Amino acid sequence: MYKTQSFDSDSSVDGDRISGDIDLNVENAPMLLGGTGGVQVVARLEDADAAKLGATKRSLEALQYVADDEIDLAQLEGDFLALLADGMELHIDQLDILSPFGQFTSRANVNAEPSDSDDYTWDTAATLLNGSADLSLPKALVDMATRANPELHGVIGLGYLRKRDEFYLMEASFADSMLTINGAPT
């Protein structure tokens, strides 16, 4: 059984906008590829539309109550796009996972500028989103994944993951509809 070491959250509402943060630390959490490990998450959401965040949350929660062949992601996608259209910021200041394969770490920031478009789509979102993410994967995990699926060597060959000591690293940014990974536009 996993054990939550600590959980702290806070939120504030200003008119129809909501901001909040979370700090979660879990030990002995079951890991996707077997075994147990620890999870540390420190994240904050800033200036999101409260009602649209609630609708997105309800759509996401509804997915757990349907059979795989009944899943309709259109509702979740629509709610999420509506949330982005009103602008918001998401900061994942710390996402650390200690697994049997080693330490996985990630940081990410996303800023969605508000839009006045009547037809907000992923193409519209791409012009208004800016973000960055850093990822560090343990070499043992990448080695296991490439043994299971040799096509993943292409991710390394293309420079999306770069080996440094016992880790594979990725630094990505997205601005002006352009994705850059490890310094190279994709």
Side-chain angles (χ1 to χ4, degrees):
M1 176 88 179
Y2 65 90
K3 179 180 177 185
T4 302
Q5 290 298 103
S6 65
F7 177 77
D8 187 27
S9 67
D10 189 28
S11 62
S12 62
V13 177
D14 182 9
D16 63 349
R17 309 300 286 183
I18 189 168
S19 296
D21 58 67
I22 184 173
D23 187 339
L24 172 69
N25 181 10
V26 178
E27 291 182 0
N28 297 320
M31 296 285 110
L32 212 66
L33 299 172
T36 60
V39 178
Q40 176 76 40
V41 179
V42 177
R44 57 196 157 92
L45 177 69
E46 297 179 7
D47 197 34
D49 181 284
K52 292 178 180 173
L53 178 63
T56 301
K57 179 181 176 282
R58 286 187 297 280
S59 292
L60 188 58
E61 289 171 343
L63 292 179
Q64 68 183 329
Y65 298 111
V66 297
D68 288 344
D69 59 344
E70 296 175 1
I71 291 178
D72 179 9
L73 295 177
Q75 181 68 45
L76 175 60
E77 180 182 26
D79 289 340
F80 186 68
L81 281 171
L83 175 65
L84 290 178
D86 276 350
M88 60 176 260
E89 292 181 39
L90 175 64
H91 304 275
I92 301 174
D93 299 320
Q94 180 178 5
L95 172 57
D96 295 343
I97 300 172
L98 180 58
S99 77
F101 295 98
Q103 179 83 24
F104 163 96
T105 61
S106 183
R107 314 285 177 266
N109 297 297
V110 176
N111 180 26
E113 295 293 328
S115 170
D116 56 5
S117 173
D118 292 333
D119 185 30
Y120 192 85
T121 64
W122 286 112
D123 289 337
T124 310
T127 63
L128 297 171
L129 284 175
N130 294 297
S132 63
D134 298 327
L135 175 69
S136 172
L137 298 170
K139 180 182 177 303
L141 177 63
V142 174
D143 289 347
M144 190 255 333
T146 54
R147 278 192 306 273
N149 184 353
E151 292 177 7
L152 292 176
H153 284 287
V155 172
I156 297 166
L158 290 170
Y160 295 154
L161 289 175
R162 291 192 176 156
K163 188 172 182 282
R164 185 180 308 149
D165 300 322
E166 290 300 308
F167 294 93
Y168 280 89
L169 308 175
M170 176 191 293
E171 295 176 356
S173 63
F174 186 82
D176 300 321
S177 300
M178 180 175 290
L179 176 64
T180 301
I181 298 178
N182 291 332
T186 59

